[in-house]
Amino acid sequence: MLHLTRRIPARVWVALTAVLGLGAALLGTTALAPRAEAATLTQVSAFGSNPGNLNMYVYRPATLPDNAPLVVLLHGCSQDAATYHAHSGWAKYADSLGFALVYAEQKSANNSSSCFNWFQKSDTARGSGEAQSIRSMVDYAVRTYSLDEERVYISGLSAGGAMASEMLAAYPDVFAGGSIVAGIPTGCASSLLDATTCMFSGRNLTPKQWGDLVRAKNPGWQGPWPRVAIWHGTADAVVTPKNAQSSRDQWTNVWGIGQTPARTANLGANTTVEYYQDSSGRDVVARYLVSGMGHGTPVDPGSGTDQCGTAGAYFLDTICSTYHTIQFWELDGDPQPSPSPSPSPSPSPSPTTPPAGECVTANNYQHVAEGRAYVSYGYAYSVGGNDLLGLWNIYVITSVQETSPGYWERVSGC
């Protein structure tokens, strides 16, 4: 299949690779790393319809029970299935909890940086391109290994995270949940050049507009919708943290709930999480923000129950995101995540009333200097809320309010 990306000039691909932060060093590491999991990570060459021309790999624990869950994993640019399997920590919990893993792997023939083509409609539409190939992998695994088709999940990093969001929107009838790690919301881009805007600055849409981009993938679908975990580092210079807010807005709107969390929690390792609940009180969307972390999958090497993975390029030693995602999906048998919660601010009496907490009006340079904001590509964003404040200088004046300790949101005025 001829992808549109093959007709993009080479200089554009070079520029995109540079902004993704996946240069020669990572390419060399990926190309030379031994495939240590070859004995257990098995390639499946014929898994059904494959219009996206992807590779499929399967990891099956020795003690995999019948009717076990399935987790589909999508690597980042210039990575492959073996790299993601070796570093992400998913194998540890597949072994201990008893579920299967499927890794979809991109080919350089489809994308010169081995990125999933999350910005190409021909690869993200239901029944088309790479989306259909991944769907075929799910069908094959469920049928061949007697897995539970009601407990299929998907997670990915960066371009893989963006593609995971596209898959959740295209196939809400297939996936019970998903995890978007340093990714981008569904429908943000429809071309390679458009993708750079999404990566660097995001798009300013309302929650309903974001939600409509998901609903447009399956007109008439009324649910149920997948449960979605969103992970992002607040110092990500490759994919702006603004996208984590947009993904939160998108999936809470799809679920028909507001953007005020039902509760928040501190998980340690400079990580906070916000839980958003449906009408039954079940957590259906969670946004995890790792303060000070750059672009990558959060891992925490070690032997503890809540530790996993190995550090490497774009696998950052902070917290085991895999462990907490599994808790959120309830694959560990726990009906709800079990961190020590901290109370969320009470809902405001009206949408225009700012929440309680310190409010500061200052220029963006001062906000950054005093720890209320951070800088990404010349723009200031609020710490915690990741709200775009504008250019980082002394001329742009904005107001931010601390809605919970260390969590600042932009407000109209103090």
Side-chain angles (χ1 to χ4, degrees):
M1 176 177 179
L2 180 62
H3 291 273
L4 295 176
T5 53
R6 294 182 186 175
R7 297 197 290 268
I8 299 298
R11 64 181 182 277
V12 177
W13 280 116
V14 172
L16 182 64
T17 301
V19 299
L20 285 171
L22 296 168
L26 179 57
L27 285 169
T29 299
T30 303
L32 297 176
R35 300 177 72 90
E37 287 75 28
T40 54
L41 189 63
T42 305
Q43 183 171 8
V44 177
S45 58
F47 52 85
S49 175
N50 186 19
N53 191 32
L54 302 179
N55 290 328
M56 174 183 179
Y57 290 84
V58 175
Y59 181 79
R60 297 170 59 203
T63 57
L64 185 67
D66 287 339
N67 214 38
L70 169 65
V71 177
V72 179
L73 298 165
L74 308 178
H75 60 77
C77 296
S78 294
Q79 296 179 336
D80 59 17
T83 300
Y84 206 75
H85 182 66
H87 289 282
S88 61
W90 280 99
K92 170 179 178 174
Y93 299 105
D95 288 336
S96 62
L97 298 175
F99 54 83
L101 303 176
V102 162
Y103 294 84
E105 183 180 81
Q106 183 61 284
K107 296 179 182 180
S108 59
N110 304 330
N111 182 297
S112 63
S113 295
S114 296
C115 309
F116 290 99
N117 288 311
W118 58 272
F119 45 82
Q120 299 281 19
K121 290 185 177 180
S122 59
D123 280 309
T124 60
R126 185 182 177 97
S128 177
E130 293 172 14
Q132 176 58 46
S133 294
I134 297 170
R135 176 68 173 99
S136 296
M137 295 179 196
V138 172
D139 284 344
Y140 176 91
V142 168
R143 181 180 67 254
T144 304
Y145 309 123
S146 300
L147 304 178
D148 185 355
E149 65 180 4
E150 300 297 323
R151 291 188 295 164
V152 179
Y153 304 83
I154 189 167
S155 177
L157 164 67
S158 193
M163 192 67 180
S165 186
E166 295 289 345
M167 291 298 297
L168 292 171
Y171 296 100
D173 53 329
V174 173
F175 297 102
S179 176
I180 305 166
V181 184
I184 291 172
T186 294
C188 188
S190 57
S191 70
L192 175 61
L193 297 180
D194 194 24
T196 61
T197 298
C198 296
M199 290 167 53
F200 288 153
S201 58
R203 292 176 61 188
N204 294 319
L205 302 180
T206 66
K208 182 180 183 303
Q209 288 172 324
W210 281 120
D212 285 345
L213 290 172
V214 171
R215 287 182 284 268
K217 291 244 184 185
N218 282 283
W221 176 262
Q222 299 297 315
W225 295 100
R227 302 170 70 197
V228 182
I230 301 155
W231 286 85
H232 222 110
T234 63
D236 192 332
V238 176
V239 176
T240 175
K242 180 71 173 178
N243 285 302
Q245 177 179 322
S246 298
S247 291
R248 184 276 310 268
D249 290 351
Q250 181 167 74
W251 288 102
T252 52
N253 181 263
V254 166
W255 273 93
I257 57 181
Q259 286 72 56
T260 300
R263 72 183 194 282
T264 63
N266 186 338
L267 303 181
N270 297 319
T271 302
T272 58
V273 56
E274 307 158 348
Y275 296 106
Y276 301 83
Q277 297 180 343
D278 64 7
S279 57
S280 70
R282 189 185 193 200
D283 297 330
V284 293
V285 177
R287 181 170 67 157
Y288 301 81
L289 299 173
V290 188
S291 180
M293 189 186 78
H295 186 67
T297 297
V299 297
D300 182 18
S303 59
T305 301
D306 60 350
Q307 292 182 292
C308 73
T310 57
Y314 303 98
F315 296 94
L316 307 180
D317 188 352
T318 49
I319 187 171
C320 175
S321 56
T322 298
Y323 169 80
H324 292 284
T325 297
I326 287 170
Q327 281 200 317
F328 172 70
W329 289 342
E330 301 175 19
L331 285 184
D332 62 343
D334 188 350
Q336 290 290 353
S338 56
S340 300
S342 58
S344 301
S346 299
S348 302
S350 71
T352 59
T353 303
E358 182 185 7
C359 186
V360 179
T361 298
N363 64 63
N364 284 345
Y365 182 88
Q366 187 176 354
H367 281 316
V368 171
E370 296 176 1
R372 295 181 291 272
Y374 64 92
V375 181
S376 179
Y377 288 92
Y379 288 87
Y381 296 84
S382 65
V383 170
N386 299 310
D387 295 329
L388 176 63
L389 305 182
L391 290 171
W392 176 48
N393 58 38
I394 63 174
Y395 304 107
V396 179
I397 308 297
T398 54
S399 298
V400 294
Q401 192 158 34
E402 190 175 29
T403 58
S404 61
Y407 191 99
W408 295 84
E409 295 185 0
R410 183 172 183 171
V411 294
S412 59
C414 295

